[in-house]
Amino acid sequence: MTRSVSLKLYLSIVATGLMAFCGVLIETAMNVTFPTLMAQFDVNTATIQWLTTGYLLIVSIFVPISGFLKRRFTTKQLFLTANFTFILGLIICSVTNQFSVLLIGRLIQGCGTGIALPLMFNIILEQAPLDKIGFLMGIGTLVTAIAPAIGPTYGGLLVGINWHYIFMILLVFMVISLVLGLFSIKQVTEVKKIKLDLFSWFTIAVFFAGAILAFNSVATSLISALVYGIVGMIGLGLFIHRSLTVANPLVNLRLFKNHSFDFHLTGFLIAQIMNVGTAFVLPNYLQLVNHVNSLTAGMLLLPGAALGAVLAPFSGKLYDSMGPGKPIRLGLTIQMLGLLLLFATALTANKWIVLIGYIMVMLGTGFSMGNIMTNGLAQLSEKDNTDGNAIFNTLQQFAGALGTAVVSLIVSLSQVKADFTHSTAIGSQHAFLLLVVLEVISIWMLIMGMRKKQSTD
């Protein structure tokens, strides 16, 4: 028998989704403000990057404990904590004119986002009717897939007026989220008084910090990058050992024994790298190669982001009615064609080719990304969904930070001052080549993942 979705469930998804959307949006919205902030605070690129790197690092550290938080605290307690924390960070960034205080505000926002992201998906997985899971997960994934693409447009529109408005406007949406959540969020599972494994949390924090710092240091100091990388790998080794030897691990790594889940997860992470990679390369390409201003660059990316956003829930409906195969294959095909177009024309592309290529990439994202996550979690038992959700959201944030670091490194290594425009185009082409290769891997992984599931049905 088909169960309808209650109004309160819709409102709770909107409340948590709006909060998560603001958190993810601000990640890429800050990128276009860097030249302005560097001039105002008199800091270099390496220093200003911490406004994004530090934020992503805090998010990556908080998401892994989402499983513990969900079992230990009520959904409303977590929602209110995330909401008030993010609002506090926004207020600080809205009023400050000191770099150190701005950075503190960004780190506080990261705490709120790290709690908010898994919360939205946990509500859907716990409370949504089975025949509506695809549609609602499509709405949820819209947040994490489309917000990074809209970010440069949002930031580009406001940085020329006053960069403080980037934070002030989000305060309005956070208050709306707070009101909706207070009315609609309910508790459906029993809270358990369990203890947080602090050692596991520390080791995974060391891994993420080491990995992100390593990639951020490659262009300036290979020795520092190597040291950070080694520290990160030690943290990862200790985390894995700890997780496999304690009774109640922070994240259940035994889920990785499910190879169909692994294939879907890998494809999902590559899709995230596609999103952040193109969202990083194209605004810079438009400004440095096509010589358009930041506002125009942001507006040229808006149609693709908007179409991807519209398609995400629609593709979820396709999942509910047709299964995962057709929408995922359609999305991957369109995305590959868009990447091939951007790669083939990178040396000579005008702004209209960039517009078309980005639309195709985001159409592919809209059709496939939410369904990949939904079908990946469908490979797990119901009791493992919380841990699976934590793994997806944790590694998605890490993939975002990693993808940005790798793509920016590829572009910067090609750039030379003597011919900055052409060398930027060459670096962009190299970045798109990497994305094409990763897309081929993603397609193979998802074919294997869906085939393996079909063979076991």
Side-chain angles (χ1 to χ4, degrees):
M1 181 177 177
T2 300
R3 284 198 297 131
S4 61
V5 180
S6 68
L7 175 61
K8 283 196 172 184
L9 176 55
Y10 272 127
L11 291 178
S12 65
I13 293 171
V14 171
T16 53
L18 190 57
M19 182 168 57
F21 181 85
C22 291
V24 178
L25 175 76
I26 205 72
E27 291 178 13
T28 53
M30 288 303 294
N31 291 342
V32 297
T33 70
F34 286 170
T36 300
L37 297 180
M38 288 167 63
Q40 177 172 336
F41 297 124
D42 192 26
V43 295
N44 58 25
T45 302
T47 301
I48 206 71
Q49 285 282 358
W50 274 102
L51 292 175
T52 295
T53 301
Y55 176 85
L56 287 172
L57 185 57
I58 294 296
V59 173
S60 298
I61 290 171
F62 266 86
V63 173
I65 64 170
S66 61
F68 161 80
L69 294 175
K70 177 184 176 296
R71 296 181 181 96
R72 179 63 182 82
F73 302 99
T74 68
T75 303
K76 186 163 287 187
Q77 287 173 333
L78 294 176
F79 171 78
L80 292 175
T81 300
N83 197 290
F84 285 132
T85 303
F86 197 81
I87 285 177
L88 175 62
L90 288 175
I91 291 173
I92 292 172
C93 293
S94 296
V95 300
T96 186
N97 280 302
Q98 296 182 23
F99 175 76
S100 58
V101 179
L102 180 62
L103 179 58
I104 291 172
R106 293 288 290 144
L107 297 180
I108 293 174
Q109 291 167 33
C111 297
T113 302
I115 298 171
L117 277 173
L119 190 62
M120 171 183 58
F121 289 109
N122 281 332
I123 288 175
I124 296 172
L125 292 168
E126 275 188 347
Q127 302 180 32
L130 187 61
D131 62 313
K132 297 292 191 302
I133 284 283
F135 172 66
L136 294 175
M137 286 291 286
I139 293 176
T141 311
L142 177 155
V143 169
T144 54
I146 306 304
I150 297 176
T153 304
Y154 174 74
L157 287 170
L158 296 174
V159 68
I161 305 171
N162 186 327
W163 59 265
H164 290 96
Y165 290 159
I166 293 174
F167 303 101
M168 291 179 182
I169 291 175
L170 292 187
L171 279 169
V172 177
F173 292 102
M174 290 302 298
V175 171
I176 295 172
S177 167
L178 176 61
V179 173
L180 292 176
L182 285 171
F183 169 74
S184 63
I185 289 178
K186 64 179 182 179
Q187 187 68 21
V188 297
T189 57
E190 183 181 353
V191 174
K192 301 177 181 178
K193 291 187 177 182
I194 56 177
K195 291 184 179 181
L196 175 63
D197 186 351
L198 290 173
F199 182 75
S200 292
W201 194 21
F202 172 75
T203 56
I204 199 169
V206 169
F207 165 60
F208 284 134
I212 292 173
L213 289 171
F215 277 99
N216 280 346
S217 303
V218 168
T220 55
S221 173
L222 288 176
I223 294 177
S224 297
L226 181 62
V227 171
Y228 285 131
I230 291 172
V231 171
M233 293 310 295
I234 292 173
L236 177 61
L238 291 173
F239 173 72
I240 293 173
H241 179 265
R242 177 76 173 182
S243 299
L244 295 177
T245 54
V246 297
N248 297 301
L250 192 63
V251 177
N252 185 6
L253 297 184
R254 290 180 174 84
L255 297 186
F256 288 108
K257 292 182 178 180
N258 184 326
H259 296 308
S260 183
F261 172 78
D262 297 341
F263 286 135
H264 282 80
L265 177 64
T266 304
F268 182 81
L269 298 181
I270 291 176
Q272 174 69 353
I273 292 174
M274 299 295 164
N275 285 333
V276 300
T278 51
F280 177 86
V281 173
L282 292 182
N284 288 282
Y285 184 94
L286 287 166
Q287 293 177 75
L288 299 175
V289 179
N290 293 143
H291 303 295
V292 304
N293 58 38
S294 60
L295 175 59
T296 303
M299 294 304 294
L300 285 167
L301 299 182
L302 184 58
L307 285 171
V310 170
L311 274 179
F314 172 72
S315 70
K317 280 187 169 293
L318 292 180
Y319 177 96
D320 292 328
S321 61
M322 303 169 61
K326 290 183 179 179
I328 290 177
R329 284 193 293 268
L330 177 61
L332 294 175
T333 300
I334 297 173
Q335 191 172 65
M336 174 61 89
L337 292 174
L339 289 171
L340 287 172
L341 174 64
L342 293 171
F343 165 70
T345 62
L347 298 182
T348 58
N350 57 41
K351 60 185 179 182
W352 303 115
I353 292 177
V354 172
L355 172 67
I356 294 170
Y358 192 60
I359 286 175
M360 295 175 71
V361 170
M362 294 311 296
L363 281 175
T365 296
F367 272 114
S368 62
M369 195 167 180
N371 291 327
I372 293 171
M373 181 176 181
T374 304
N375 205 51
L377 292 173
Q379 314 307 308
L380 305 176
S381 64
E382 187 175 345
K383 68 180 179 65
D384 290 329
N385 266 337
T386 297
D387 286 318
N389 181 38
I391 290 172
F392 263 96
N393 281 280
T394 299
L395 293 183
Q396 182 185 17
Q397 294 307 304
F398 179 66
L402 184 65
T404 300
V406 171
V407 169
S408 63
L409 176 64
I410 291 173
V411 174
S412 63
L413 288 176
S414 300
Q415 291 173 324
V416 292
K417 291 184 178 179
D419 191 3
F420 197 68
T421 297
H422 183 65
S423 62
T424 298
I426 292 174
S428 300
Q429 186 177 56
H430 293 164
F432 285 124
L433 176 60
L434 172 65
L435 296 181
V436 168
V437 173
L438 289 176
E439 182 76 356
V440 172
I441 296 173
S442 176
I443 291 171
W444 180 79
M445 286 284 184
L446 290 166
I447 289 174
M448 293 295 294
M450 289 187 287
R451 181 180 297 169
K452 195 171 188 68
K453 172 62 177 176
Q454 290 168 358
S455 68
T456 59
D457 285 341

